[in-house]
Amino acid sequence: MNPYDYSITVRHIVAEDGPCFEARVRELPDVAEYADSYAEAYELAIDTITTTAEALAEAGNAMPAPVPAGLPADGRSPSA
């Protein structure tokens, strides 16, 4: 499992505490990481993917597979 294969989106937001960067993982919709810089938010998301995969494996569950690049937001293959 390569955490860099997962779809991570980082965006600048204004939260209750002020501006920050939010990282979300498409394949793990409940994951949101917040940091003061883009790079830090991205690396927190990478760490969360790795930690989640380890926790799921220990519990005997499978990690969701990375969504192939080019699929629409709903994850379905485009119609021909």
Side-chain angles (χ1 to χ4, degrees):
M1 194 270 323
N2 182 350
Y4 294 96
D5 290 341
Y6 285 79
S7 307
I8 300 171
T9 302
V10 180
R11 64 188 186 128
H12 187 256
I13 65 167
V14 178
E16 291 177 17
D17 296 341
C20 65
F21 288 85
E22 175 188 69
R24 293 206 167 255
V25 180
R26 178 177 178 183
E27 295 84 353
L28 302 171
D30 294 333
V31 169
E33 295 291 349
Y34 300 90
D36 292 329
S37 72
Y38 180 101
E40 184 182 5
Y42 183 85
E43 287 305 317
L44 285 172
I46 292 294
D47 183 59
T48 298
I49 292 167
T50 302
T51 303
T52 300
E54 291 169 357
L56 288 172
E58 287 177 13
N61 297 313
M63 178 72 171
V67 174
L71 283 185
D74 63 10
R76 292 187 246 166
S77 295
S79 300

